[in-house]
């Protein structure tokens, strides 16, 4: 039997029960409220009767907008909804909530994780993959469903970080296999910084390798005062924290390379090439190729740069750099 289109009292909706909600969106509701007030409600929310109340299956933002209009403009206290049968199984309600959003826009990774985690109570990963076009409006292969389920074991704060872009899909997959205490420290780290996927993976790898090398738990390493000072500095932007954390972790992971870098930087500074000449050592000294370049706006600047390079040729510091 199809859902019944009817009007119910707004006050009969239990807003605290969000068991079917999959979206993290908490956008400003005023624009949607104004649209509904002017154009009307195009797609009524779907609700389910439960314990003399109604819980929302889909249309959480629309209900919020209708409540907003009622409070601001004193509109009708009844709203139009699709009401399911009281005995509608949870499986059907989950399908309705997922499909209602998925056929409006592509689901985010966080929303996919939540959805797959809920469906896994009723379907195995192959069945989810097979039914995915009709539920998610996109075909999901079984391997991707398995990845989503693996990440789904992470605590809820991880989904918030994924949703806001602080934790990438690949990084979440990497830490999902770690111990609970280790997972918690990475969630703390990524809640304080803003880094690209590659930089996140680098941070994870360095912390795990340093911990293994020094035979300590990642939690103990995380409590290092230097890390705490970087992450919990109130006046530093997340991007700056990321830069400082990466630099410090690199120093701890590769102390010899770091010290060599420092020594060469000092030697380059002492040579005094001039402001227009750049002398760049190989990245992490994985090759022997140094890069030298300069810019010149005119012939005079070109000559000056060449003269500075000629002077540097006789500098013992330059010879020492190439003889490392």
């Amino acid at each position: 039997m199809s859902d019944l289109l009817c009007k119910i009292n707004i006050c009969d909706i239990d807003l605290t029960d969000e068991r079917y909600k999959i979206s993290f969106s908490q956008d400003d509701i005023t624009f949607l409220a104004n649209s509904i007030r002017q154009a009307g409600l195009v797609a009524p929310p779907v609700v389910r009767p439960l314990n003399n109340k109604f819980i929302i299956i889909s249309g959480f933002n629309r209900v919020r907008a209708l409540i907003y209009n009622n409070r601001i403009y004193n509109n009708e206290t009844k709203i139009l909804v699709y009401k399911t049968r009281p005995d509608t199984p949870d499986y059907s309600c989950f399908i309705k909530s997922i499909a209602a959003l998925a056929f409006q826009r592509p689901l985010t990774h966080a929303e996919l994780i939540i959805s797959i985690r809920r469906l896994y109570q009723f379907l195995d990963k192959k069945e989810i993959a097979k039914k995915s076009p009709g539920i998610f409006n996109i075909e999901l292969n079984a391997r991707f469903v398995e990845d989503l389920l693996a990440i789904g074991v992470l605590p809820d704060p991880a989904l918030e970080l994924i949703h806001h872009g602080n934790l990438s899909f690949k990084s979440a997959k990497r830490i999902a296999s770690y111990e609970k205490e280790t997972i918690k420290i990475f969630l703390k780290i990524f809640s304080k910084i803003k880094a690209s996927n590659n930089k996140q993976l680098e941070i994870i790898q360095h912390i795990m390798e340093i911990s293994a090398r020094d035979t300590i738990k990642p939690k103990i390493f995380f409590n290092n005062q230097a890390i705490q000072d970087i992450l919990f500095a109130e006046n530093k932007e997340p991007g700056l924290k990321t830069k400082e954390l990466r630099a410090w972790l690199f120093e701890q992971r590769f102390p010899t390379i770091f010290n060599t870098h420092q020594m060469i930087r000092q030697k380059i500074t002492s040579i005094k090439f001039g402001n227009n000449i750049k002398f760049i050592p190989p990245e992490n000294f994985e090759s022997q190729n140094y890069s030298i370049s300069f810019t010149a706006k005119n012939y005079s600047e070109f000559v000056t740069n060449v003269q500075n390079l000629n002077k540097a040729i006789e500098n013992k510091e330059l010879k020492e750099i190439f003889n490392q």
Side-chain angles (χ1 to χ4, degrees):
M1 184 180 293
S2 60
D3 299 336
L4 176 65
L5 185 62
C6 63
K7 284 191 173 183
I8 64 172
N9 292 319
I10 293 179
C11 62
D12 289 336
I13 299 176
D14 183 359
L15 298 173
T16 63
D17 194 325
E18 297 184 340
R19 69 181 72 183
Y20 300 122
K21 186 177 182 181
I22 64 171
S23 175
F24 280 89
S25 177
Q26 287 293 339
D27 299 331
D28 184 359
I29 213 66
T30 54
F31 180 81
L32 177 59
N34 187 53
S35 175
I36 292 175
R37 191 167 65 90
Q38 293 184 8
L41 186 62
V42 177
V46 181
V47 300
R48 175 187 178 186
L50 185 69
N51 300 328
N52 297 320
K53 286 280 190 177
F54 295 95
I55 59 175
I56 304 171
I57 293 176
S58 72
F60 287 87
N61 284 342
R62 278 165 281 165
V63 171
R64 287 175 57 216
L66 289 164
I67 292 173
Y68 175 88
N69 281 342
N70 180 58
R71 185 175 68 251
I72 301 299
Y73 303 105
N74 196 27
N75 287 355
E76 292 184 12
T77 58
K78 289 181 176 290
I79 63 171
L80 190 66
V81 299
Y82 282 108
K83 182 175 67 173
T84 68
R85 292 171 55 89
D87 58 352
T88 301
D90 271 343
Y91 172 71
S92 297
C93 292
F94 285 135
I95 295 294
K96 289 177 186 289
S97 67
I98 297 167
L101 188 59
F103 281 82
Q104 290 182 34
R105 60 165 175 78
L107 300 185
T108 66
H109 276 142
E111 291 164 347
L112 280 171
I113 293 165
I114 293 173
S115 301
I116 294 295
R117 189 166 62 184
R118 290 176 177 174
L119 289 179
Y120 195 55
Q121 302 173 62
F122 311 97
L123 305 171
D124 63 31
K125 61 185 179 183
K126 291 184 179 179
E127 291 173 322
I128 294 174
K130 184 178 180 180
K131 295 177 181 290
S132 61
I135 302 174
F136 297 96
N137 195 26
I138 188 173
E139 186 173 358
L140 307 176
N141 62 52
R143 180 62 180 273
F144 184 53
V145 172
E146 186 176 356
D147 288 342
L148 292 168
L149 286 170
I151 297 174
V153 305
L154 293 173
D156 288 342
L159 298 181
E160 289 279 356
L161 293 177
I162 293 171
H163 174 70
H164 291 294
N166 291 70
L167 181 64
S168 71
F169 186 83
K170 289 184 178 180
S171 296
K173 183 180 175 183
R174 175 76 62 84
I175 68 174
S177 60
Y178 296 157
E179 296 179 350
K180 289 183 179 180
E181 289 299 322
T182 302
I183 291 173
K184 287 180 181 179
I185 72 160
F186 283 117
L187 296 185
K188 287 181 181 178
I189 289 172
F190 294 123
S191 69
K192 297 295 182 181
I193 67 173
K194 194 76 171 179
S196 66
N197 172 63
N198 288 340
K199 291 177 181 177
Q200 289 178 31
L201 292 173
E202 173 196 289
I203 289 169
I204 294 170
Q205 181 175 339
H206 283 172
I207 289 177
M208 297 305 292
E209 288 180 349
I210 294 170
S211 299
R213 182 195 65 196
D214 298 345
T215 61
I216 59 174
K217 288 185 174 294
K219 180 180 179 181
I220 301 300
F221 179 70
F222 171 74
N223 288 329
N224 187 292
Q225 191 60 50
I227 294 180
Q228 300 297 305
D229 290 343
I230 292 171
L231 294 180
F232 297 98
E234 295 182 0
N235 298 323
K236 287 182 182 177
E237 295 295 325
L240 179 58
K241 291 181 181 181
T242 302
K243 181 178 180 180
E244 291 183 357
L245 179 63
R246 290 180 64 222
W248 187 82
L249 287 174
F250 183 86
E251 178 183 357
Q252 304 306 308
R253 178 64 184 90
F254 304 105
T256 302
I257 295 177
F258 177 82
N259 291 334
T260 303
H261 261 303
Q262 291 290 89
M263 179 183 64
I264 288 182
R265 287 193 190 100
Q266 292 172 0
K267 290 182 182 294
I268 291 174
T269 301
S270 70
I271 295 171
K272 298 180 180 178
F273 283 106
N275 295 330
N276 294 331
I277 298 176
K278 291 184 179 179
F279 186 92
I280 304 172
E283 182 71 20
N284 297 337
F285 301 100
E286 293 177 353
S287 74
Q288 295 180 339
N289 296 323
Y290 288 78
S291 172
I292 302 176
S293 63
F294 64 78
T295 60
K297 296 179 181 179
N298 49 52
Y299 179 75
S300 177
E301 284 191 5
F302 180 87
V303 172
T304 300
N305 288 331
V306 172
Q307 290 174 345
N308 287 335
L309 284 173
N310 285 328
K311 290 179 182 177
I313 290 175
E314 300 303 323
N315 192 303
K316 66 175 184 178
E317 301 288 354
L318 182 62
K319 294 178 183 179
E320 290 175 0
I321 290 174
F322 280 101
N323 291 328
Q324 293 292 331

